[in-house]
Structure formats: C-alpha cells, structure tokens
Amino acid sequence: MRQFWWVNHKQTFNQEIEHQYLWSPKTSKNGVRNRFYDNMRAANPGDIVLSYANQLIRYVGRVADFAFTAPKPSEFGSTGSYWSNEGWLLPVFWTRLDSPIRPRDLLHLIGPLLPEKYSPIRPATGKGNQGVYLAAISREIYDVVRAYTHIDDVRLESGGANRLTFQNVAEELDDRIEADIRSNLTLGDTIRNATIQARRGQGTFRSNVQKVEKACRLTGITNPALLIASHIRPWRSCETPEQRLDGANGLLLTPDADLLFDRGFISFEDSGEVRVSPRFDQNDLRRLGLGEHAWKQLGFSEAPMPWLAQGFSDNQRSYLNYHRTQVYIT
C-alpha cells in the first residue's frame, strides 16, 4: 500500500532537490535513535513525499528505491557539521508544483488531518515543527495539497526511472570515494591500488576472501569463475583500507546472490541461516531459482544442503551484524 510522507528540508533543501534524494543521519547528535530518521528506512518505492521548506510546499516527490547507507553528501559542505558522516540516503524523484502551497493558508483543511503525534507542522500556526525531518501523513493531506495546485502525475510516476536506481546512485557514491582514495597522499601506492581494486571484488581483497570462504553461502556453488567477492560491510561504508581488504569482510556469492545481498534483500545469521527481507517478494526468490536456499523462511524443516547451516567466524560476525542492522531491509 502506498504511503505518504512530509519532509522538512531546512538547510539541505537545495541540495536534496537538485540531486534528487533525501539524506539524514542515522541517529540524533547524542546518538539516540530518531523516529524521523528511522522513517527513511520505512519508505517504499512508489511512496509520495511532500517537500516543505521556507513555509512553502514547492515540490512533490516519488520514492524511487529503498533507503541505503551512504556518506553525508559532499554538496552539503559545512551544513550539518555536527551530523555523523554516515546516514540514510533515500532516492526521490522530485517534480515542481505549478503553484507553491503555503500550508498556513490551508490550515483550516490540513489542521484536522494532522497526526496527533509526530506532526510535521504545528496545527496552531502552520509552521514547521523543529526537529521533525521525514514524517508520515495521511492520503487526505496529500489530496488537499493537490486540490490547490497542479501536479504532473505522468512525470511524477515515471520520471527518474532509469537514473534513480540503487545501482546508479551507489555507483556515483563509490566514484566519489574512489576519487578521494586516489588523491589521498597518505596511502602508499600498493595499498591505494589494492583498495581501489577491492571496490570491484578484485585483487588482494578477493584473495583474502578466498582464504576464508570456499563456496556461495546461498547456492553452494564452488566454481571460482561463477563467484563474486562481495563485501559484507559495503566498500563505500568502510572506514579504513584495512576494512576494505579484510577477508573476513567478504563472501563469495553468485551474481544473483550478490545483488540480493548488496541491496539488503537477504542477509545471514551468525549460524549461517539465510534471512530474507519481509519487503522482498519471496516469489521473486523462487523465480530466481533460489527459493530452496532460504530454507527456514520458506517453510523447510531443515537445511536441504549442509553448507546452508555452517556458522561464521567471530571476525565475520562483527561485519554481519553491521549488514543486518545497516544494510538489510527490515
């Protein structure tokens, strides 16, 4: 079911609209979880977002993909200097309204529809609630807004389809990080080159993974020609060259399994059991020919193949915990 959201952009409005996304830290500056940041992970592709900044709604967006871990966008500059460098990036295709909407002018219509808790604006004044970023709203609030302006529904529903995919956005982020690594003069040539090769699962990283893993954890395939060396903690999210090259931070996966794992549609328990995202169509898992490998979620009483129940080492488990909490889509 389609959900509706309201975002209070504040100081990052121009950057988020221009580059077609939302970005938030994962926690408040004191390290406490924040409901409005957690909402980034709750948004689904196809959801609708109203963009509010400077007391106006000027854009409406369509969520293009699930949120994923990403560094703070470089275009933010010094804005939000107290935010952590790692946050949630939610791809959103924005389209401009023909006529901006001032919620304060429609407060007699919007006010009664606002949620009693976690409202994005104050019902009494129509001004944005400080501390609220992405808030859930009802379809009725969206209908009020669209009744007082024109929304190009065709553009809203189809725009950005080829650009705003996880693969494309993640590739752009990885390109930026690779450029930073190439220009980092504190790294020796050997480490720099190995770290860059690790982005593609090649070189030293692949050799290190092969010392730890012998088969795809999902399918059991052992032929090296059919396996990708995939980071558990994504390459873009690693904090040091050592993490990017650590064999314990890698799995050998077939291309389909690698895509599912990298996107967070599957993860693994410390015991080796497969965890399938509740927001991934499990029929698609079967269509990929991988259904029997997610044996527990799909109703098998025991692992049909022994490699599916083999546990991970202590060093791997710390990376898997990161994947389950920061990459896997809950």
Side-chain angles (χ1 to χ4, degrees):
M1 180 181 296
R2 170 171 276 180
Q3 302 175 95
F4 295 83
W5 306 93
W6 178 305
V7 63
N8 291 333
H9 288 280
K10 301 177 184 176
Q11 66 255 43
T12 58
F13 167 74
N14 290 325
Q15 296 93 326
E16 292 180 314
I17 293 296
E18 178 183 354
H19 294 277
Q20 299 190 9
Y21 61 74
L22 294 176
W23 186 91
S24 79
K26 293 183 176 180
T27 63
S28 300
K29 59 183 178 180
N30 58 2
V32 175
R33 287 186 62 176
N34 182 307
R35 180 183 183 88
F36 306 109
Y37 299 159
D38 287 347
N39 282 340
M40 296 280 282
R41 292 268 272 171
N44 292 310
D47 287 355
I48 299 297
V49 188
L50 295 178
S51 161
Y52 176 84
N54 300 317
Q55 301 185 44
L56 292 173
I57 297 173
R58 284 177 281 180
Y59 288 84
V60 60
R62 186 195 79 254
V63 176
D65 208 332
F66 295 106
F68 60 93
T69 294
K72 184 169 69 174
S74 58
E75 54 266 20
F76 281 11
S78 61
T79 299
S81 58
Y82 55 89
W83 292 333
S84 63
N85 188 54
E86 185 176 85
W88 299 122
L89 189 147
L90 182 68
V92 180
F93 177 75
W94 297 108
T95 184
R96 190 180 182 92
L97 300 179
D98 281 0
S99 302
I101 297 296
R102 187 182 301 274
R104 187 167 56 185
D105 296 341
L106 300 176
L107 205 55
H108 61 293
L109 297 174
I110 293 177
L113 302 174
L114 291 170
E116 293 183 9
K117 195 175 184 181
Y118 307 124
S119 174
I121 61 174
R122 292 184 171 86
T125 64
K127 293 183 179 180
N129 257 330
Q130 188 174 7
V132 173
Y133 183 60
L134 186 64
I137 59 172
S138 66
R139 170 66 189 253
E140 288 75 17
I141 291 178
Y142 176 68
D143 288 340
V144 169
V145 170
R146 68 174 297 125
Y148 284 83
T149 189
H150 173 71
I151 296 175
D152 186 337
D153 288 323
V154 174
R155 177 175 169 78
L156 177 64
E157 295 294 344
S158 61
N162 295 325
R163 176 191 169 192
L164 295 179
T165 64
F166 166 75
Q167 287 81 4
N168 288 344
V169 177
E171 190 80 7
E172 290 180 12
L173 291 172
D174 286 354
D175 286 344
R176 295 185 191 183
I177 294 170
E178 180 174 326
D180 290 341
I181 292 172
R182 290 185 181 278
S183 63
N184 187 346
L185 300 181
T186 66
L187 295 176
D189 290 342
T190 300
I191 293 296
R192 183 186 297 109
N193 292 335
T195 303
I196 291 171
Q197 287 181 321
R199 173 185 173 183
R200 306 293 183 186
Q202 298 172 355
T204 301
F205 173 67
R206 182 180 178 92
S207 297
N208 290 342
V209 175
Q210 288 176 321
K211 296 174 184 176
V212 179
E213 294 286 302
K214 304 303 179 185
C216 173
R217 287 278 181 163
L218 189 62
T219 65
I221 287 176
T222 59
N223 185 343
L226 302 177
L227 299 174
I228 294 171
S230 179
H231 283 85
I232 299 173
R233 179 170 182 154
W235 185 88
R236 74 188 71 86
S237 300
C238 291
E239 298 174 336
T240 64
E242 289 75 17
Q243 286 183 344
R244 292 188 168 103
L245 297 175
D246 189 355
N249 186 25
L251 297 175
L252 296 175
L253 300 171
T254 58
D256 285 343
D258 172 68
L259 177 60
L260 294 172
F261 185 74
D262 190 40
R263 190 61 197 92
F265 288 136
I266 64 170
S267 191
F268 295 93
E269 308 290 355
D270 290 348
S271 63
E273 295 174 10
V274 181
R275 181 188 291 189
V276 180
S277 169
R279 290 200 275 170
F280 178 67
D281 187 346
Q282 295 189 0
N283 286 325
D284 284 342
L285 200 66
R286 292 187 172 93
R287 294 183 186 108
L288 287 169
L290 301 173
E292 65 178 355
H293 305 292
W295 59 277
K296 193 170 184 179
Q297 286 84 349
L298 299 181
F300 290 87
S301 59
E302 59 182 15
M305 287 153 281
W307 62 79
L308 300 178
Q310 293 177 356
F312 291 93
S313 69
D314 289 342
N315 290 337
Q316 290 174 301
R317 288 176 180 179
S318 63
Y319 289 115
L320 282 167
N321 181 63
Y322 180 94
H323 188 274
R324 289 191 298 263
T325 58
Q326 309 299 327
V327 179
Y328 176 71
I329 298 171
T330 57

